[in-house]
Amino acid sequence: MWSTMEHHSVVIAVAIGFVSVLLSYYIIFSRWKRRSDGLRGMQSKSFEKSTAAEGGTDVIIVGAGVAGSALAYTLGKDGRRIHIIERDLSEPDRIVGELLQPGGYLKLIELGLQDCVEGIDAQRIMGYALFKEGKDTKVAYPLEDHHADVSGRSFHNGRFIQRMREKAASLPTVHLEQGTVLSLIEKDGVVKGVKYKSTSGEELETFAPLTVVCDGCFSNLRRSLCNPKVDVPSCFVGLVLEDCKLPHPNHGHVILADPSPILFYPISSTEVRCLVDVPGKKVPSVASGDMAKYLQTVVAPQLPRQIQGPFLVAVEKGNIRTMPNKIMPASPLPRPGALLLGDAFNMRHPLTGGGMTVALADIAVLERLLKPLHNLHDASSLCEYMEAFYTLRKPVASTINTLAGALYKVFCASPDQAMKEMRQACFDYLSLGGVFSSGPVALLSGLNPRPLSLVLHFFAVAVYGVGRLLYPFPSPKRFWLGARLISGASNIIFPIIKAEGIRQMFFPNTVPAYYRAPPVHSIKGESGS
């Protein structure tokens, strides 16, 4: 239990953090507010979409994962004629993409896809439980202002994707085909379509005014549409635990282990997914038995006792999977006739399960941008207009991306005493409850994807950590450790923000593309007026 003195130290530490950033928050918000009319003006315009179009397809979509399937359904129900090409239409079997945050579920509702989590034994997730050195704390999603159905959802990734594909293919305007896309087709610098190989081995070509590439984290088409700077900080080692009762039902579990976090969450009524983060690009060999030994001797002793038994049984069964965790900031190269989306375009550490939320939020932005257009055949104007997509997506995507990268670095064990203090401060800050837990969790869950709120809470944690060090008896050594803590926190978050783009992240309405209107040729339609 917290003593009265400890409560006073909490108030002092957090107050310092809030005051230190509140002034800058106010100034930035005021500037942002004055420029917000540009977006409202652009989004308030409504134009009737022409039923006639050049050619037989409006949009080609490469990849029918979460992003591709959701986009196909979203544009298809708007009357667009969609040709979606997927390399393998059998049910995927992946160890990631199994947790949809509440913010992502809200986007699923917005896109009309919420029934895709039904009938697949999906589990409701209401928050997180954090474990550190024998102590644990539970933080709930702030869902008080939402409908009772709104929560996180966890499930088998393949089942969810198959439901999304079925939903998209049910539309008469969507043609879903299995095939391997070989290359983009370009003419005079404009992407006209794709060349692909059908299941029979025949090489075919298909054309449309807009091609959307969303073929996943291993995309072989992204190089011509972005500057891919892929980092692999760690790998996930995946296991499925059967008949395992987690300490906190309907919660994701994060164990702050050494050297890095371990995740547990249900993916069905009888199965729990375990993801062990292993830093570095290489992991112990599964085939030689080194991985099983690592899991048994290094990982298992750090788990809550309730989970250890089912975990060791799963290790003995030997169905151990690995997956590299890739980070790639969005760095687009706008090309007439083409657009990037999903993990082919932008990746963050999967620790926070934010990937599907980002993809669905991007699709919602893209639908709003495309809706006013009569047709998509003015490639150069469309390219300029589509630059607005890369800008408008930034605040939501960058908040989730930055938080994922920052939390991963904070949650990893470190020999640096300052970073140990930061890790402990984060755990204790979330344990305080109230706004100290609901604020960060709202950011993580996509319910409040605001960059300024992220920076505010991140440095509030750091300053709270300094307050813990200095209270009640400050000393030169503790002052120095506190200074190193603030410096370490800055070195964590500022490079991530820089990679995301400071201007696009915090001041998107100062970017010229933010004010783009629909192409004039598309507005005029085909009447010759």
Side-chain angles (χ1 to χ4, degrees):
M1 297 293 294
W2 289 83
S3 68
T4 303
M5 294 294 287
E6 288 172 324
H7 275 298
H8 285 317
S9 68
V10 168
V11 173
I12 293 170
V14 174
I16 295 172
F18 274 48
V19 171
S20 66
V21 296
L22 193 57
L23 181 59
S24 61
Y25 181 94
Y26 174 78
I27 294 171
I28 294 171
F29 177 79
S30 299
R31 292 175 180 173
W32 196 345
K33 179 72 174 175
R34 285 196 298 269
R35 294 181 179 270
S36 62
D37 291 340
L39 175 62
R40 293 195 191 98
M42 184 178 72
Q43 291 182 335
S44 66
K45 297 179 181 179
S46 176
F47 301 95
E48 179 183 356
K49 188 178 69 179
S50 172
T51 56
E54 301 172 47
T57 301
D58 296 313
V59 182
I60 297 168
I61 300 175
V62 181
V66 171
S69 300
L71 180 64
Y73 176 78
T74 301
L75 298 184
K77 68 182 173 62
D78 286 347
R80 306 286 186 187
R81 291 167 297 180
I82 311 298
H83 186 185
I84 180 168
I85 306 171
E86 165 59 37
R87 182 181 60 83
D88 185 0
L89 287 176
S90 61
E91 183 174 307
D93 183 16
R94 303 181 65 205
I95 66 171
V96 293
E98 297 172 317
L99 177 62
L100 181 66
Q101 297 286 3
Y105 183 72
L106 288 174
K107 291 299 177 184
L108 213 60
I109 294 173
E110 181 180 338
L111 300 175
L113 289 162
Q114 65 271 26
D115 57 343
C116 290
V117 298
E118 299 172 2
I120 60 174
D121 199 15
Q123 303 298 298
R124 290 172 63 90
I125 300 297
M126 307 306 295
Y128 283 89
L130 274 67
F131 295 77
K132 184 178 186 295
E133 298 173 351
K135 297 181 180 180
D136 67 276
T137 187
K138 189 166 66 171
V139 292
Y141 292 134
L143 301 173
E144 297 81 7
D145 297 330
H146 298 280
H147 187 272
D149 186 54
V150 176
S151 69
R153 294 292 196 281
S154 55
F155 38 67
H156 280 270
N157 172 268
R159 296 176 187 174
F160 180 59
I161 287 178
Q162 289 301 85
R163 287 298 305 273
M164 299 273 276
R165 290 172 176 173
E166 292 167 6
K167 182 96 171 178
S170 68
L171 296 175
T173 54
V174 175
H175 172 47
L176 176 60
E177 180 179 1
Q178 181 165 305
T180 302
V181 174
L182 304 174
S183 63
L184 301 174
I185 298 174
E186 297 185 44
K187 183 178 179 182
D188 299 327
V190 178
V191 175
K192 298 290 188 178
V194 300
K195 180 182 293 185
Y196 69 103
K197 184 180 291 187
S198 68
T199 52
S200 63
E202 183 181 4
E203 289 195 6
L204 302 171
E205 294 180 344
T206 183
F207 300 92
L210 178 62
T211 298
V212 181
V213 175
C214 43
D215 53 348
C217 62
F218 299 105
S219 173
N220 61 352
L221 299 177
R222 67 160 65 104
R223 290 192 174 277
S224 60
L225 300 173
C226 74
N227 290 314
K229 298 178 181 178
V230 181
D231 182 29
V232 183
S234 66
C235 295
F236 265 157
V237 179
L239 296 163
V240 174
L241 283 57
E242 297 180 351
D243 299 317
C244 172
K245 293 187 180 298
L246 293 171
H248 300 280
N250 300 109
H251 282 69
H253 290 56
V254 183
I255 289 83
L256 303 186
D258 188 353
S260 51
I262 304 165
L263 307 180
F264 291 88
Y265 51 87
I267 54 174
S268 75
S269 53
T270 60
E271 298 165 299
V272 169
R273 168 66 70 192
C274 170
L275 292 174
V276 179
D277 185 84
V278 180
K281 298 180 181 180
K282 294 183 179 180
V283 297
S285 170
V286 174
S288 69
D290 289 345
M291 176 59 75
K293 184 177 179 181
Y294 175 83
L295 296 174
Q296 292 165 338
T297 60
V298 177
V299 176
Q302 301 186 69
L303 302 180
R305 189 176 300 275
Q306 185 174 340
I307 304 176
Q308 287 183 9
F311 177 81
L312 290 171
V313 170
V315 174
E316 286 292 333
K317 287 185 177 180
N319 187 20
I320 302 172
R321 308 269 302 281
T322 62
M323 176 78 178
N325 293 326
K326 296 185 176 183
I327 297 175
M328 187 180 76
S331 183
L333 295 173
R335 297 283 296 278
L339 194 73
L340 266 175
L341 200 67
D343 282 351
F345 174 46
N346 183 204
M347 293 178 281
R348 75 291 308 149
H349 196 285
L351 172 69
T352 59
M356 289 188 288
T357 300
V358 171
L360 294 170
D362 284 354
I363 290 166
V365 170
L366 185 58
E367 181 197 25
R368 289 193 293 270
L369 283 173
L370 290 179
K371 212 161 195 175
L373 304 186
H374 282 247
N375 63 67
L376 309 175
H377 288 271
D378 187 344
S380 59
S381 296
L382 179 62
C383 178
E384 293 180 355
Y385 181 56
M386 283 294 95
E387 288 180 31
F389 165 74
Y390 294 123
T391 301
L392 292 170
R393 70 177 294 275
K394 267 294 181 181
V396 173
S398 295
T399 300
I400 294 173
N401 294 346
T402 303
L403 182 61
L407 269 187
Y408 176 70
K409 291 185 177 182
V410 170
F411 281 176
C412 283
S414 171
D416 185 346
Q417 185 60 38
M419 287 299 96
K420 288 181 181 179
E421 292 291 340
M422 182 68 179
R423 193 188 200 200
Q424 186 64 50
C426 187
F427 181 85
D428 290 345
Y429 185 87
L430 293 172
S431 300
L432 296 175
V435 68
F436 306 109
S437 64
S438 64
V441 174
L443 291 163
L444 181 150
S445 62
L447 294 171
N448 177 31
R450 296 176 181 171
L452 291 174
S453 294
L454 167 61
V455 174
L456 174 69
H457 278 287
F458 187 81
F459 280 102
V461 171
V463 175
Y464 169 64
V466 174
R468 289 175 65 255
L469 285 169
L470 301 183
Y471 185 87
F473 301 114
S475 67
K477 182 178 179 180
R478 287 175 174 266
F479 268 114
W480 174 240
L481 187 58
R484 286 172 50 210
L485 191 157
I486 295 292
S487 175
S490 300
N491 289 336
I492 286 174
I493 197 168
F494 287 140
I496 302 174
I497 291 175
K498 182 180 178 181
E500 289 290 331
I502 297 173
R503 185 180 180 187
Q504 292 88 343
M505 185 172 175
F506 291 97
F507 313 106
N509 53 349
T510 69
V511 179
Y514 189 90
Y515 298 102
R516 292 235 190 268
V520 63
H521 300 299
S522 294
I523 296 173
K524 289 179 179 179
E526 299 179 0
S527 63
S529 59

